[in-house]
Amino acid sequence: MPVERVVIPVQGLELAASGEKIERALLAIEGVRSAAVNLAAEQVAVEFVPHVTSVEDLRRAIRGVGYEPLEVAEASVDREQQRREREIRTLRNQFLGAILLSVPILWGSLHHMGLTGVWVPRILTDWRVQLLLAIPVQFWAGWRFYRGAWAAARHGTTDMNTLIAVGTSAAFGYSVVATFFPQVFIAGGLQPNVYYETASIIIAFILLGRFLEARAKGRTSEAIRRLMGLRARTARIVRDGEEVDIPVEDVQVGDAVVVRPGEKIPVDGVVISGHSAVDESMLTGESIPVEKREGDEVIGATLNKTGSFRFHTTRVGRDTALAQIIRLVEEAQGSKAPIQRLVDRIAAYFVPAVIVIAVVTGAVWLLFGPEPRLTYALLAFVSVLIIACPCAMGLATPTAIMVGIGRGAEEGVLIRNAEALERMRQVDTVVLDKTGTLTRGQPAVTDVLPMNGFSEADILRFAAAAERGSEHPLGEAIVARAKDDGIEIPEPDDFDAIPGQGIVAQVEGRRILAGNLRLLESQGLRPDGLGSRAEALARDGKTPMFVVVDGTPAGIIAVADTLKPETAEVIRALHGLRLRVVMLTGDNRATAEAIARQAGIDQVLAEVRPEQKAATVRGLQEEGRVVAMVGDGINDAPALAQADVGIAIGAGTDVAIESAGVVLVGSDLRGVRTAIALSRQTVRAIRQNLFWAFFYNVVLIPVAAGILYPFVGVLLNPVFAALAMAFSSVTVVSNSLRLRFFKPALAAA
């Protein structure tokens, strides 16, 4: 049955445990195939069978576990950005209001905090005035925490809002009782005191952390916004013989579109007239403009540089290469790495455990602590609740994944999901297909060796004339070289192709032979010293073609599928990453080993048929290797699927190759190095984030509970606990954002 995918923004997603609850609720619905919550993007991606369930059912399930689903996002990054900006403005205003009201409360509390030498206005020392200032902070600025805690409580769960709401309410409620009923404490032999400044400053600091976190999280999707910004707004099409400008959304398949120098190509298509050079670097990462002539494909959002041309549209709207890339990156950013699933399970039990620890801490201080016991018990209880908020833990993985995958897209490397991103870090063996991956994929003339008084131009001219009517790739390579050298190619008077040997032709009254040694032998001719030179060329992986004019050997033209210019550089970079490099090809061993020598490859597996490639990859895996297979995504599909990570290179505009975990938009082999180096840096950032998130909680919860008090007489103030908690979240997101400055060349150096 057909499966649809929908992305639903969800308000209030802040903790990994929240995502776990939503995912469980959605997966319980019949027809839902998968559900993945992305905390950094605050949305959930759901795959479902439309005839079995509906989007409204999904929204109802999300609402049922206490969260509010927003308008369904269909690649609407603009709407998502507007929503984020509104949330950032709200957080900023609430923080400013909270801090402006909290500062006078804190000023009025300096004397009871022991700072008796500081001048304090008498009115601010009045507890009732402090209460009036604290009420808006507690119930206006802090209302979001109560709302979140209540939503969780209605469904019998807890989250970080629960910790904040309970902690600040305890300090606020204690202070209200001390303000209006001080006799309750006096009767028990206790000195009444208030902690309005504690509750208010905690809320202000947490809002500051949320504000900074929201701004940083907004930048994690910057790559998507940049890709969206590449789109052309209008297109100039030909209608009824006239050129008219229309919105790009109105362009239809089959329209004739005119593109002038300096304009963006609006949609995908095929050139029908004119020629130009097109800058495709924004999508493919290749900096050199690509020549486009009649019959060549053009990609929407790329930039026309020099000439004008017309093209027929072939893909518009959601079907264009850019739209597919954006969709692929969005899906990948919303996917979960295996390490994130472990974090989710831990977070689901973390908040209840913290509440238990806080209650036990308060009870221990109340029963065994020094006087004033109640005060110490309250401070320790609130500190544990506030400092343990595990939002940093929930943000550690998704923020790094979003930034890493987005940065890859900007480099022309499309990582299809977080699992491929994480797995790629473990790769120790890279298997490369030869034709079209290491090499250009089409033969080219590499050597022209004239003899017996003939020049290079002479033998190219005669050979090209003989091959002019041939459709053999070697013949086409010779004709292309002659044209590139500006040689005028005459029409042959007679032409006879001999299968498996070559061509016999009459050119300008002269008898021309162009072919292999068997052709010469069949015509009763000897190579006359050319044999040894031909053998040397063959050992280098080249195909020698003898050219004979009127029975006289004129020379040799060598043709080969040559290495891409960047191949040797990439192999060196992969070795620099301590990777074993293997070439896998169906070519004969001599040719394969010659190519391997030129490229600097470690191991050659030659004469492997296409159906054997997957078994060969499996053999390497059985040796304990973690294998990345790099191929063209078509003939190599089984091997790409078998590998631990499949990397499809030279995919052009086809960004949906199902057999590959990584797709390179262009044909530049350097994308392989980029993908592996980016994976390593992203996973390193995730591990750093998780270390600091767990380390922070493991170390500071005991401090908040008062473990240092017996030794140094220090009990952590809840205000500093709130500041530390906010700082931890901002630190994790900021560490992830460092990936925005990832440079492939530096990473591989």
Side-chain angles (χ1 to χ4, degrees), residues 246-425:
I246 64 172
V248 71
E249 294 83 5
D250 295 340
V251 177
Q252 299 176 1
V253 173
D255 279 342
V257 181
V258 179
V259 184
R260 295 173 181 167
E263 294 181 341
K264 283 185 178 179
I265 297 170
V267 294
D268 299 357
V270 176
V271 177
I272 54 176
S273 64
H275 66 274
S276 182
V278 175
D279 181 357
E280 298 182 342
S281 60
M282 67 279 293
L283 290 181
T284 66
E286 296 178 11
S287 57
I288 300 174
V290 181
E291 292 293 327
K292 300 291 183 180
R293 293 182 173 82
E294 185 176 342
D296 290 338
E297 288 190 354
V298 290
I299 306 172
T302 54
L303 182 64
N304 183 33
K305 300 290 285 185
T306 55
S308 298
F309 61 89
R310 290 189 182 189
F311 71 93
H312 269 314
T313 60
T314 55
R315 288 185 291 269
V316 299
R318 293 171 60 86
D319 297 325
T320 63
L322 179 63
Q324 290 185 58
I325 289 171
I326 291 171
R327 189 157 56 247
L328 189 83
V329 175
E330 285 180 329
E331 291 175 5
Q333 287 184 331
S335 63
K336 284 193 177 183
I339 196 171
Q340 176 65 28
R341 299 188 184 101
L342 174 62
V343 174
D344 290 349
R345 286 196 295 272
I346 293 172
Y349 299 101
F350 191 83
V351 173
V354 167
I355 293 175
V356 170
I357 292 171
V359 170
V360 170
T361 297
V364 169
W365 276 97
L366 194 60
L367 294 173
F368 306 108
E371 296 296 343
R373 295 181 182 181
L374 186 59
T375 297
Y376 283 133
L378 175 68
L379 292 177
F381 174 76
V382 173
S383 293
V384 170
L385 289 177
I386 298 303
I387 207 163
C389 287
C391 43
M393 195 187 306
L395 291 169
T397 300
T399 52
I401 287 172
M402 288 185 71
V403 179
I405 288 176
R407 185 72 189 92
E410 293 174 345
E411 292 290 334
V413 178
L414 304 180
I415 301 169
R416 293 178 62 89
N417 53 59
E419 189 167 353
L421 179 71
E422 185 176 337
R423 186 62 168 159
M424 199 153 39
R425 181 197 65 84

Side-chain angles (χ1 to χ4, degrees), residues 205-220:
F205 279 165
I206 292 174
L207 287 172
L208 173 62
R210 291 276 182 93
F211 167 67
L212 295 174
E213 179 187 304
R215 283 209 319 177
K217 282 164 64 177
R219 291 200 293 271
T220 62

Side-chain angles (χ1 to χ4, degrees), residues 50 62 68 92 100 109 136-137 170 221 259 292 353 355 374 380 385-386 437 446 462 466 473 475-476 506 553 704:
I62 295 170
E68 185 57 35
R92 181 196 61 199
L100 288 174
S109 304
V137 179
S221 293
V259 184
K292 300 291 183 180
I355 293 175
L374 186 59
L385 289 177
I386 298 303
T437 301
T446 58
F462 286 126
E476 291 176 349
Q506 289 288 328

Side-chain angles (χ1 to χ4, degrees), residues 236-244 256 310:
R236 183 175 294 107
I237 68 168
V238 179
R239 291 259 172 97
D240 300 324
E242 294 185 0
E243 296 181 7
V244 293
R310 290 189 182 189

Side-chain angles (χ1 to χ4, degrees), residues 77-301:
V77 175
D78 293 337
R79 286 202 302 272
E80 181 68 15
Q81 178 68 4
Q82 291 170 6
R83 185 182 71 80
R84 281 192 180 278
E85 288 174 353
R86 283 197 303 271
E87 175 67 5
I88 289 170
R89 283 196 301 271
T90 300
L91 284 166
R92 181 196 61 199
N93 295 338
Q94 289 177 341
F95 162 69
L96 291 175
I99 199 67
L100 288 174
L101 292 170
S102 297
V103 168
I105 301 173
L106 179 63
W107 193 5
S109 304
L110 292 179
H111 284 176
H112 87 75
M113 294 171 65
L115 300 174
T116 54
V118 180
W119 177 78
V120 178
R122 181 176 296 275
I123 189 172
L124 294 182
T125 63
D126 188 325
W127 291 354
R128 288 167 298 183
V129 172
Q130 292 185 15
L131 172 61
L132 289 175
L133 292 171
I135 286 173
V137 179
Q138 191 73 33
F139 300 107
W140 168 67
W143 182 249
R144 64 175 56 234
F145 306 122
Y146 285 105
R147 186 178 62 234
W150 173 246
R154 281 193 303 128
H155 297 89
T157 60
T158 55
D159 61 16
M160 66 174 293
N161 293 299
T162 306
L163 303 181
I164 299 169
V166 171
T168 58
S169 296
F172 182 83
Y174 178 96
S175 303
V176 170
V177 173
T179 300
F180 293 107
F181 307 101
Q183 63 273 15
V184 171
F185 300 96
I186 295 172
L190 301 173
Q191 178 66 36
N193 214 331
V194 295
Y195 296 95
Y196 293 121
E197 83 287 350
T198 298
S200 298
I201 291 291
I202 284 173
I203 289 173
F205 279 165
I206 292 174
L207 287 172
L208 173 62
R210 291 276 182 93
F211 167 67
L212 295 174
E213 179 187 304
R215 283 209 319 177
K217 282 164 64 177
R219 291 200 293 271
T220 62
S221 293
E222 191 169 319
I224 288 286
R225 288 196 293 276
R226 279 204 284 261
L227 286 172
M228 294 287 283
L230 293 175
R231 296 175 301 181
R233 302 298 178 188
T234 61
R236 183 175 294 107
I237 68 168
V238 179
R239 291 259 172 97
D240 300 324
E242 294 185 0
E243 296 181 7
V244 293
D245 289 336
I246 64 172
V248 71
E249 294 83 5
D250 295 340
V251 177
Q252 299 176 1
V253 173
D255 279 342
V257 181
V258 179
V259 184
R260 295 173 181 167
E263 294 181 341
K264 283 185 178 179
I265 297 170
V267 294
D268 299 357
V270 176
V271 177
I272 54 176
S273 64
H275 66 274
S276 182
V278 175
D279 181 357
E280 298 182 342
S281 60
M282 67 279 293
L283 290 181
T284 66
E286 296 178 11
S287 57
I288 300 174
V290 181
E291 292 293 327
K292 300 291 183 180
R293 293 182 173 82
E294 185 176 342
D296 290 338
E297 288 190 354
V298 290
I299 306 172

Side-chain angles (χ1 to χ4, degrees), residues 539-685:
R539 283 196 298 271
D540 288 337
K542 301 171 183 177
T543 301
M545 293 184 64
F546 298 92
V547 180
V548 178
V549 179
D550 288 337
T552 303
I556 295 177
I557 299 176
V559 179
D561 184 6
T562 56
L563 285 176
K564 292 179 179 177
E566 71 275 8
T567 295
E569 171 199 341
V570 172
I571 301 304
R572 286 195 299 271
L574 294 178
H575 285 148
L577 293 170
R578 296 186 297 281
L579 296 168
R580 178 185 178 190
V581 182
V582 178
M583 184 172 75
L584 185 63
T585 179
D587 276 1
N588 67 73
R589 179 159 296 278
T591 300
E593 289 181 347
I595 292 291
R597 282 195 301 273
Q598 295 172 38
I601 289 172
D602 304 325
Q603 180 181 354
V604 177
L605 300 174
E607 300 174 7
V608 179
R609 295 194 303 273
E611 64 272 17
Q612 295 176 322
K613 288 186 176 182
T616 304
V617 170
R618 186 162 53 249
L620 290 169
Q621 292 170 323
E622 289 169 355
E623 294 175 9
R625 297 278 176 177
V626 180
V627 179
M629 171 68 195
V630 186
D632 62 12
I634 301 169
N635 296 329
D636 302 309
L640 289 168
Q642 173 64 42
D644 297 281
V645 180
I647 302 176
I649 190 169
T653 60
D654 182 8
V655 297
I657 299 174
E658 295 298 329
S659 55
V662 178
V663 178
L664 307 185
V665 178
S667 58
D668 194 329
L669 193 60
R670 283 173 290 204
V672 177
R673 173 198 65 188
T674 299
I676 294 173
L678 178 62
S679 166
R680 292 184 176 184
Q681 288 210 10
T682 303
V683 174
R684 187 181 301 127

